[in-house]
Amino acid sequence: MARTFHTVGVVGLGTMGAGIAEVFARAGLSVIGVEVDAAALERGRDNLRRSTERAVARGRMTPGERDDILARVGFTGALADLRDADLVVEAIPEVMDYKRALFADLDRVCRPGAVLATNTSSLSVTAIAAFTSRPGQVVGMHFFNPAPVMRLVEVVGTVVTEDGLTADVAELARRVGKTPVTVGDRAGFVVNRLLLGYLNHAVTLLERGVAAKDDIDTAMKTGAGLPMGPFTLLDLIGLDVSHEICEVLFQETRDRVHAPAPLLRELVTAGLLGRKSGRGFHDHAGAARPPASAPAGPAGPAGPTVGSVHVLGDGAGDLAARLAAAGVKHTEAEEADVVIALSGTPVVEHAARLPRPERLAGLHLVGDRVAEVVSTAITAPETARAVAGLMEALGRTPVPCADRAGFVVDALLYPYLNDAVRMYDSGYASIEDIDTAMRLGCGYPAGPFETLDAIGLGTVRDGLRALYAEYREPFFAPTPLLDRLVTAGVTSIRGR
């Protein structure tokens, strides 16, 4: 028989907890909010009040609806007041010892039939449940910040979760206006498992000097169409939170892509945590220059005026025609002011065949708006600046980068897609649920499998092979499923 939920407790009323309380209250449920002391309780009350007032100001809620929501939420400093709750959701800091102690207390004070849920984003739900006498009634209910706005909820079951419980909790999520994705208890679940590998890898590219942080952000936002660049997102999440999730992921996977990048660890140790501290990868409070690796390409004043170019590679004719329309003539390589290699392979391979290789820069066009300007070890700085200027004249945003496999966008995007295929192939989640989770949980314009089909399975497989050949990281090797699909001539992983 399906469970019904009428009264919900929320323990921890920070930004996330207050948002969760608001979600339940908006749906007409009675909510009991719990905090550790009077000061924290008042902050929680203020969080809820400010959030609902913003909704009224933006026309998303009437004053009467706001008053009804506030009337449905009670505030207390005593866990014992949760004794009649049907469901209790904890939203306290991501520290296992804190959560275990809280769940032991909740197990003692809540009625036997109550369901206990953790909002953990990465910790083991099984380990938390083990500290209760009712592990079968403990689930994960992972909301995303801001909870009133974000539609996704990851519902996490364990190997001992009672039959039907995750379905009941998923139905509750639908009742409060969310889209649930039901998964098993693996570190990071769907969203953080895929997201943090990508973010951590972005930090590694920065450390290796492939590109500067602002250019990486630009490439992924403007070129790949993501809502924000990886360093902007890391600062928003909190570098300490990101570091901790990476640690949890690494402890489970032992994959180096999840081992926190040294630069990430260094910033956390220095107290540079992102927006909440005023400074992280970016400066959020007018502080001194934020940490960054030196840019790999153009820097300083604009490059020399270019009167002639020679373009190599696939699509050379089209680019040459566009440059000619802008007043730059196409000529032989020996005579050109600059040589541009349109290439997905190492650009230096072209340079080695030129009489003046310092005049060569690579170019990788991403979407309709970005051009990755690639400098080899022998590209003259003025050449890279000149090519960047040509791209600006054509209406593209230049992203300077080093001559490394995948450059910036593909080096970050393809491993993320590969990891999604790996997750699906392991049986952890369906293609539809993974796509839904990343679209709703991260605000991506498309899920990884939608993106994979749009780019082409063969293109992504070959790009991963190039990344693996350069970096020799097992994480970059194409998953066996992706390899088999390409070999079999399958063109759509979603439609196969």
Side-chain angles (χ1 to χ4, degrees):
M1 184 175 177
R3 294 170 177 80
T4 56
F5 302 96
H6 303 287
T7 301
V8 176
V10 178
V11 182
L13 298 174
T15 301
M16 177 59 78
I20 293 171
E22 181 181 335
V23 167
F24 287 121
R26 282 190 183 206
L29 282 78
S30 296
V31 181
I32 304 167
V34 184
E35 262 295 0
V36 293
D37 55 39
L41 204 59
E42 188 57 34
R43 287 194 296 271
R45 196 190 307 269
D46 286 342
N47 286 336
L48 179 60
R49 186 183 300 114
R50 285 195 301 269
S51 176
T52 53
E53 287 175 352
R54 283 195 300 269
V56 171
R58 294 169 181 171
R60 297 173 181 169
M61 181 187 299
T62 68
E65 290 171 334
R66 174 200 59 201
D67 295 343
D68 288 344
I69 290 170
L70 296 176
R72 292 188 192 107
V73 182
F75 296 88
T76 179
L79 286 177
D81 290 337
L82 298 171
R83 56 185 170 272
D84 295 324
D86 303 308
L87 167 72
V88 177
V89 181
E90 68 80 13
I92 66 172
E94 285 284 88
V95 179
M96 179 60 84
D97 288 346
Y98 295 171
K99 293 184 186 289
R100 283 175 166 174
L102 173 60
F103 272 75
D105 289 341
L106 292 174
D107 185 41
R108 185 177 63 255
V109 303
C110 293
R111 65 180 181 82
V115 175
L116 307 181
T118 171
N119 184 55
T120 181
S121 59
S122 60
L123 298 177
S124 168
V125 179
T126 306
I128 294 170
F131 271 68
T132 73
S133 65
R134 60 179 95 187
Q137 294 168 233
V138 178
V139 296
M141 198 173 188
H142 180 215
F143 290 80
F144 289 77
N145 195 28
V149 176
M150 300 296 284
R151 290 170 51 200
L152 181 69
V153 172
E154 291 177 319
V155 177
V156 186
T158 73
V159 292
V160 295
T161 300
E162 292 179 1
D163 290 344
L165 179 55
T166 55
D168 292 341
V169 174
E171 183 55 37
L172 173 63
R174 294 186 190 94
R175 176 182 166 190
V176 300
K178 303 301 180 184
T179 300
V181 169
T182 302
V183 295
D185 187 21
R186 293 189 188 177
F189 315 132
V190 173
V191 173
N192 282 336
R193 196 179 189 96
L194 294 179
L195 178 64
L196 267 296
Y198 152 71
L199 295 177
N200 196 46
H201 184 39
V203 181
T204 300
L205 290 188
L206 176 64
E207 286 184 314
R208 289 172 172 168
V210 173
K213 61 178 176 57
D214 290 337
D215 291 321
I216 295 174
D217 270 358
T218 296
M220 299 312 293
K221 182 178 179 181
T222 307
L226 302 186
M228 60 184 70
F231 299 106
T232 303
L233 182 54
L234 280 163
D235 280 0
L236 177 63
I237 295 170
L239 272 57
D240 52 339
V241 174
S242 301
H243 182 277
E244 182 61 32
I245 295 174
C246 283
E247 286 282 17
V248 172
L249 289 169
F250 179 70
Q251 290 303 315
E252 179 174 297
T253 67
R254 297 296 174 177
D255 196 314
R256 282 179 55 184
V257 76
H258 295 135
L263 178 56
L264 181 60
R265 182 172 60 249
E266 183 181 356
L267 294 177
V268 171
T269 303
L272 304 178
L273 308 181
R275 288 191 182 184
K276 60 188 172 185
S277 69
R279 181 178 161 191
F281 285 100
H282 295 287
D283 178 9
H284 302 279
R289 179 182 58 84
S293 178
T305 300
V306 177
S308 62
V309 298
H310 183 81
V311 186
L312 305 169
D314 293 339
D318 179 62
L319 179 59
R322 294 177 63 195
L323 290 170
V328 182
K329 69 177 181 178
H330 193 263
T331 187
E332 295 301 320
E334 294 84 356
E335 302 170 359
D337 293 330
V338 296
V339 179
I340 298 174
L342 284 164
S343 178
T345 60
V347 176
V348 74
E349 293 179 2
H350 298 282
R353 297 191 291 269
L354 296 175
R356 299 186 62 182
E358 72 278 3
R359 292 189 179 187
L360 175 82
L363 200 62
H364 182 223
L365 303 180
V366 182
D368 297 325
R369 299 171 61 191
V370 164
E372 293 175 323
V373 179
V374 186
S375 293
T376 73
I378 50 180
T379 299
E382 58 269 21
T383 297
R385 292 198 297 271
V387 173
L390 291 175
M391 292 303 102
E392 289 176 338
L394 295 182
R396 285 183 176 265
T397 300
V399 171
C401 62
D403 188 18
R404 301 290 183 270
F407 310 127
V408 175
V409 173
D410 292 352
L412 290 176
L413 184 61
Y414 288 2
Y416 154 73
L417 299 177
N418 197 41
D419 203 17
V421 176
R422 186 181 293 112
M423 178 180 286
Y424 162 68
D425 196 29
S426 72
Y428 180 63
S430 68
I431 286 174
E432 294 76 15
D433 281 349
I434 294 171
D435 271 355
T436 296
M438 298 311 292
R439 277 191 282 102
L440 300 185
C442 295
Y444 285 4
F449 294 99
E450 294 170 314
T451 303
L452 183 59
D453 281 358
I455 295 172
L457 276 61
T459 299
V460 174
R461 191 275 308 268
D462 293 346
L464 287 165
R465 285 180 170 178
L467 285 164
Y468 179 71
E470 178 148 322
Y471 293 111
R472 301 295 179 177
E473 294 283 0
F475 183 78
F476 295 144
T479 63
L481 175 59
L482 181 58
D483 229 351
R484 291 196 301 270
L485 291 174
V486 175
T487 301
V490 175
T491 58
S492 171
I493 192 169
R494 292 181 302 152
R496 69 191 183 96

